[in-house]
CSV table of all heavy atoms in Angstrom, one decimal:
chain,number,residue,atom,x,y,z
A,118,LYS,N,4.9,-7.3,-7.7
A,118,LYS,CA,5.6,-6.4,-6.8
A,118,LYS,C,4.6,-5.7,-5.9
A,118,LYS,O,4.9,-5.5,-4.7
A,118,LYS,CB,6.4,-5.4,-7.6
A,118,LYS,CG,7.5,-6.0,-8.4
A,118,LYS,CD,8.8,-6.1,-7.6
A,118,LYS,CE,9.9,-6.7,-8.4
A,118,LYS,NZ,11.0,-7.2,-7.5
A,142,VAL,N,9.0,-15.3,-6.1
A,142,VAL,CA,9.5,-15.6,-7.5
A,142,VAL,C,10.3,-14.4,-7.9
A,142,VAL,O,9.7,-13.5,-8.6
A,142,VAL,CB,8.5,-16.0,-8.5
A,142,VAL,CG1,9.1,-16.3,-9.9
A,142,VAL,CG2,7.8,-17.3,-8.0
A,143,ASP,N,11.5,-14.3,-7.4
A,143,ASP,CA,12.3,-13.1,-7.8
A,143,ASP,C,13.7,-13.7,-7.4
A,143,ASP,O,13.8,-14.3,-6.4
A,143,ASP,CB,11.9,-11.9,-6.9
A,143,ASP,CG,12.6,-10.7,-7.2
A,143,ASP,OD1,13.6,-10.7,-8.0
A,143,ASP,OD2,12.3,-9.6,-6.7
A,144,SER,N,14.7,-13.4,-8.2
A,144,SER,CA,16.0,-14.1,-8.0
A,144,SER,C,16.5,-13.9,-6.6
A,144,SER,O,17.0,-14.8,-5.9
A,144,SER,CB,16.9,-13.8,-9.0
A,144,SER,OG,17.2,-12.4,-9.1
A,145,GLU,N,16.5,-12.6,-6.1
A,145,GLU,CA,17.0,-12.2,-4.8
A,145,GLU,C,16.3,-12.8,-3.7
A,145,GLU,O,16.9,-13.4,-2.7
A,145,GLU,CB,17.0,-10.7,-4.7
A,145,GLU,CG,18.0,-10.0,-5.6
A,145,GLU,CD,17.4,-9.8,-7.0
A,145,GLU,OE1,16.2,-10.2,-7.3
A,145,GLU,OE2,18.0,-9.1,-7.9
A,146,HIS,N,15.0,-12.7,-3.7
A,146,HIS,CA,14.2,-13.1,-2.6
A,146,HIS,C,14.1,-14.7,-2.5
A,146,HIS,O,14.1,-15.3,-1.4
A,146,HIS,CB,12.8,-12.6,-2.6
A,146,HIS,CG,12.9,-11.0,-2.5
A,146,HIS,ND1,12.6,-10.3,-3.7
A,146,HIS,CD2,13.1,-10.2,-1.5
A,146,HIS,CE1,12.8,-9.0,-3.3
A,146,HIS,NE2,13.1,-8.9,-2.1
A,169,THR,N,22.0,-8.9,-3.4
A,169,THR,CA,23.0,-8.5,-4.4
A,169,THR,C,22.2,-7.6,-5.5
A,169,THR,O,21.1,-7.8,-5.8
A,169,THR,CB,23.7,-9.7,-5.0
A,169,THR,OG1,22.7,-10.6,-5.4
A,169,THR,CG2,24.6,-10.3,-4.1
A,197,TRP,N,20.6,-9.1,-17.1
A,197,TRP,CA,19.3,-9.6,-17.2
A,197,TRP,C,18.6,-9.0,-18.4
A,197,TRP,O,18.8,-7.8,-18.6
A,197,TRP,CB,18.4,-9.3,-15.9
A,197,TRP,CG,18.8,-10.1,-14.8
A,197,TRP,CD1,19.6,-9.6,-13.8
A,197,TRP,CD2,18.4,-11.4,-14.3
A,197,TRP,NE1,19.8,-10.6,-12.8
A,197,TRP,CE2,19.0,-11.7,-13.1
A,197,TRP,CE3,17.6,-12.4,-14.9
A,197,TRP,CZ2,18.8,-12.9,-12.4
A,197,TRP,CZ3,17.4,-13.5,-14.2
A,197,TRP,CH2,17.9,-13.8,-13.0
A,199,MET,N,15.0,-7.7,-19.4
A,199,MET,CA,13.8,-7.4,-18.7
A,199,MET,C,13.0,-6.3,-19.5
A,199,MET,O,13.5,-5.7,-20.4
A,199,MET,CB,14.0,-6.9,-17.3
A,199,MET,CG,14.8,-7.9,-16.5
A,199,MET,SD,15.2,-7.3,-14.9
A,199,MET,CE,16.4,-6.0,-15.1
A,203,ILE,N,11.4,-1.9,-15.6
A,203,ILE,CA,12.3,-2.5,-14.5
A,203,ILE,C,13.8,-2.3,-14.9
A,203,ILE,O,14.7,-2.2,-14.0
A,203,ILE,CB,11.9,-4.0,-14.3
A,203,ILE,CG1,12.7,-4.5,-13.1
A,203,ILE,CG2,12.1,-4.8,-15.5
A,203,ILE,CD1,12.1,-5.8,-12.5
A,212,ASN,N,15.0,-0.4,-8.2
A,212,ASN,CA,14.6,-1.8,-8.2
A,212,ASN,C,15.1,-2.5,-7.0
A,212,ASN,O,14.4,-3.2,-6.3
A,212,ASN,CB,15.1,-2.5,-9.5
A,212,ASN,CG,14.7,-4.0,-9.6
A,212,ASN,OD1,13.6,-4.3,-9.3
A,212,ASN,ND2,15.6,-4.9,-9.8
A,213,LYS,N,16.4,-2.2,-6.6
A,213,LYS,CA,17.0,-2.8,-5.4
A,213,LYS,C,16.3,-2.3,-4.2
A,213,LYS,O,16.1,-3.0,-3.2
A,213,LYS,CB,18.5,-2.6,-5.4
A,213,LYS,CG,19.3,-3.7,-4.7
A,213,LYS,CD,18.9,-5.1,-5.1
A,213,LYS,CE,19.0,-5.3,-6.6
A,213,LYS,NZ,18.7,-6.7,-7.0
A,216,GLU,N,13.2,-3.9,-3.7
A,216,GLU,CA,13.4,-5.3,-3.2
A,216,GLU,C,13.8,-5.3,-1.7
A,216,GLU,O,13.5,-6.3,-1.0
A,216,GLU,CB,14.5,-5.9,-4.0
A,216,GLU,CG,14.0,-6.3,-5.5
A,216,GLU,CD,15.1,-7.0,-6.3
A,216,GLU,OE1,16.2,-7.0,-5.9
A,216,GLU,OE2,14.7,-7.4,-7.4
A,219,GLU,N,10.6,-5.2,0.0
A,219,GLU,CA,10.0,-6.5,-0.2
A,219,GLU,C,10.6,-7.6,0.7
A,219,GLU,O,9.9,-8.4,1.3
A,219,GLU,CB,10.1,-7.0,-1.7
A,219,GLU,CG,8.8,-7.6,-2.2
A,219,GLU,CD,8.9,-8.0,-3.6
A,219,GLU,OE1,9.8,-7.5,-4.3
A,219,GLU,OE2,8.1,-8.8,-4.1
A,261,MET,N,15.3,-17.2,-14.7
A,261,MET,CA,14.1,-17.0,-13.8
A,261,MET,C,13.4,-18.3,-13.7
A,261,MET,O,12.6,-18.5,-12.7
A,261,MET,CB,13.2,-16.0,-14.4
A,261,MET,CG,13.5,-14.5,-14.1
A,261,MET,SD,13.9,-14.2,-12.3
A,261,MET,CE,12.3,-14.5,-11.6
B,1,MG,MG1,15.1,-9.1,-8.6
Side-chain angles (χ1 to χ4, degrees):
K118 294 270 178 201
V142 177
D143 186 350
S144 58
E145 293 81 358
H146 302 101
T169 51
W197 291 96
M199 305 175 291
I203 189 163
N212 182 44
K213 209 49 53 180
E216 286 179 355
E219 220 178 346
M261 280 311 292

